[in-house]
Amino acid sequence: MEIAHRLREAASPYWESTALVIFTEDCTGRPQKKSGAEAIISRVSIAELDAIRATLLADADADADAGTWRGEAAFGGGIRQILAMTSPSNALLVLSDPQSIPGSDTEPDPQWLLNYLWRLAAERIREKVADAPPSYLIESRAASAERLRVTAELVDQHSTTLETLLAALRSPALADAAARTAATDVAAKALVGLRTLSDRTTDLVEEPVASAFQRLREDLRPLMSFSGIDVQFIEPPVNGRALPGEVAHAARAIVRGLVLAMVDQEGVRRVRTQWDCDGVNLLINVRDDGPGELSASAPAMARLVQRVEALNGSMGVDVMPGWGADVAVTLPLDPPARPFAEVADWNLGEREVEVLQLLAAGQRNRGIAAKLHISENTVKFHLRNLYRKIGASSRTEAMALAHSNGLR
């Protein structure tokens, strides 16, 4: 978990850099290992790293040492000078603002030495993953599932917005000027929503079932306005059990995905969605009046099945030719029992454990500071140390790792 810090420390007599990031797909739960300036490493994205790797592999004018590239690239939210290296295991090393430190004539060439240290580190990562204990696999799977959930929800948010924009622009009931105005309003609202989505998806506190359902109605209202599809909502009981945040987020995303799949069929004029709660499960029903051609094996539906199964739930699709499709989803409200892992291996201090517990409970920095009677800057300091010790690259990943080890 500290391999990025150790590699940067080992290379420091020969190279200066503002940040060092390792990107390896061997570690599915924690593909990024980071060290350096927090303002940079906290903003590094997988998309940036993929683009750097593509440039490195495609550039015909790469450095003499194959697998090495220097130049300007988007990294950490800005354009920076970087040095990038690949490895036989296909891992990627990126240094931002790199400066080699001249040595004596008898010392190894800094470029050669960095490449040598990097290949050692990359091979060590590969070996560690190959010999991973069950506890690591549990943590890795939890972090991967959390990242997949957030990404999938973003995809559905984009899909819903684009479908709504197309419906508005194609609507025969709207004049050109009105259609443009409607599309602009939808796009502006979607941008605001996407900017706040990160905070919403990491907010894992419970949400009343009625308000969770109301947010679903708001998500789908623009599509109803312009597509001509009658989307009917059957309200859940107001006094139903509150939903865990991750279940509420997933339920809305699943229904959005189902509605999009249903309206993609020819002849669909009405879709009905209903939520209920039996105290143990959230029960979702979505039905259309289409031709009954919805395929449970279609890629969009298969992705929804995977999302349901990730929450230990189930989904059944009943297709009636000429009458439509009826989809029933059951999502458990309580997580499956997990064995309590030995968190002592993380070597956390007493205050760090307190911060991690509050983080796992869904508290933001301000709430953690208030409960522990410390400043928000002190909370950020403890969080940086926490991320390093437990091997998390983000707040969401740290919460997933804490949950996988029994901390709530």
Side-chain angles (χ1 to χ4, degrees), residues 56-383:
L56 188 157
L57 296 177
D59 192 343
D61 299 322
D63 289 352
D65 182 9
T68 301
W69 180 81
R70 294 190 70 164
E72 285 191 345
F75 186 74
I79 301 299
R80 307 179 191 280
Q81 285 288 334
I82 64 163
L83 168 62
M85 291 182 170
T86 56
S87 74
S89 63
N90 203 35
L92 177 70
L93 173 70
V94 181
L95 275 67
S96 61
D97 307 308
Q99 294 289 334
S100 61
I101 301 174
S104 65
D105 293 338
T106 60
E107 289 183 332
D109 173 62
Q111 183 88 15
W112 178 91
L113 185 62
L114 180 62
N115 184 64
Y116 178 75
L117 291 172
W118 163 231
R119 286 172 181 260
L120 285 177
E123 179 61 18
R124 184 58 175 155
I125 291 172
R126 190 193 63 78
E127 291 176 351
K128 292 288 284 183
V129 173
D131 298 332
S135 59
Y136 169 84
L137 297 177
I138 291 173
E139 294 172 4
S140 180
R141 186 174 180 181
S144 296
E146 181 67 12
R147 188 169 59 253
L148 178 63
R149 180 187 67 78
V150 173
T151 302
E153 183 161 342
L154 281 169
V155 169
D156 278 342
Q157 288 276 13
H158 279 297
S159 298
T160 304
T161 300
L162 292 174
E163 287 277 2
T164 304
L165 288 173
L166 288 174
L169 294 173
R170 292 172 175 171
S171 175
L174 294 177
D176 288 350
R180 286 195 299 270
T181 299
T184 301
D185 290 342
V186 169
K189 182 180 178 181
L191 286 172
V192 173
L194 286 173
R195 287 173 183 144
T196 59
L197 184 61
S198 178
D199 286 339
R200 283 168 46 201
T201 53
T202 54
D203 182 12
L204 298 181
V205 298
E206 290 188 335
E207 183 175 1
V209 64
S211 64
F213 192 76
Q214 179 60 32
R215 285 175 60 180
L216 172 66
R217 297 186 67 157
E218 293 172 359
D219 287 344
L220 293 176
R221 182 175 289 117
L223 182 61
M224 297 159 50
S225 301
F226 305 120
S227 66
I229 302 293
D230 179 19
V231 182
Q232 301 175 348
F233 299 90
I234 310 299
E235 300 279 352
V238 177
N239 59 349
R241 177 179 167 184
L243 306 180
E246 59 269 26
V247 174
H249 288 303
R252 285 191 294 269
I254 290 165
V255 172
R256 287 198 305 268
L258 287 172
V259 171
L260 290 173
M262 288 176 171
V263 300
D264 233 12
Q265 303 173 97
E266 293 290 340
V268 173
R269 292 292 175 264
R270 183 172 63 253
V271 176
R272 190 191 75 169
T273 180
Q274 178 177 4
W275 284 15
D276 204 348
C277 188
D278 63 5
V280 178
N281 303 291
L282 174 64
L283 308 175
I284 299 172
N285 180 258
V286 184
R287 180 182 301 177
D288 69 43
D289 66 347
E293 298 174 352
L294 188 67
S295 172
S297 60
M301 294 294 290
R303 181 163 60 85
L304 293 174
V305 171
Q306 292 175 349
R307 183 177 301 179
V308 170
E309 292 177 346
L311 288 172
N312 209 35
S314 62
M315 184 168 82
V317 181
D318 188 7
V319 178
M320 298 160 285
W323 292 89
D326 193 320
V327 181
V329 178
T330 301
L331 298 178
L333 299 183
D334 296 312
R338 292 182 181 272
F340 185 79
E342 184 52 70
V343 297
D345 292 342
W346 286 341
N347 297 318
L348 301 181
E350 181 179 348
R351 180 64 85 187
E352 290 170 341
V353 171
E354 293 175 336
V355 171
L356 183 58
Q357 288 175 324
L358 292 171
L359 178 69
Q363 293 286 338
R364 309 302 299 169
N365 287 2
R366 181 175 299 177
I368 295 174
K371 287 183 178 293
L372 298 181
H373 305 290
I374 57 179
S375 70
E376 287 190 56
N377 285 335
T378 303
V379 171
K380 293 177 183 178
F381 171 78
H382 287 310
L383 287 175

